[in-house]
Amino acid sequence: MKKLLIFLLVFIVGCSVSGQGVRAFEGHVTAVKLGGLEVECSSAVKRNENSAVTEEGYPCLVLVPHDTPVLTEGGEKIQMDEFRQQAKDEELLEIKVTLPESKDINKDPESRKVRASEITVLE
């Protein structure tokens, strides 16, 4: 009976941890789109996988309202137009996307449509 209770406790804790969503992720900008960005977000999609590393990548469509704050790692504010131009010009610009709330990002394309509450340009 004691073993069964321990098993159930471990199972419940494991399920609750694995079901947690993503609040932020890092990736490089792969395309600049009207009203948003396409960002490589495989690390967020594969965060709960224990399997071997695969080559398959997953893009996220990140909606970026014009009033979304864009910052450098040092906390300096970047104008949205300047950031969008930098994202177009600089190949593989690495950014951190912070979401307004935790979201389950997975292999389903609909789950990979997110809205940014803040963007940080990583150097």
Side-chain angles (χ1 to χ4, degrees), residues 9 15 21 23 37-38 50 61 65-66 71 101 106 110-111:
L9 180 63
C15 288
R23 179 72 182 172
L37 306 166
E38 187 176 272
N50 294 329
L61 176 60
H66 199 71
L71 309 169
E101 57 193 31
N106 56 54
E110 285 300 311
S111 78

Side-chain angles (χ1 to χ4, degrees), residues 31-81:
V32 177
K33 306 211 179 242
L34 187 61
L37 306 166
E38 187 176 272
V39 180
E40 203 288 320
C41 63
S42 296
S43 61
V45 171
K46 299 176 184 179
R47 71 192 179 283
N48 292 325
E49 291 183 9
N50 294 329
S51 61
V53 177
T54 63
E55 294 295 317
E56 187 173 12
Y58 295 94
C60 281
L61 176 60
V62 180
L63 302 176
V64 184
H66 199 71
D67 62 345
T68 302
V70 181
L71 309 169
T72 65
E73 281 186 296
E76 295 177 40
K77 190 166 184 166
I78 301 172
Q79 295 298 319
M80 181 59 72
D81 294 334

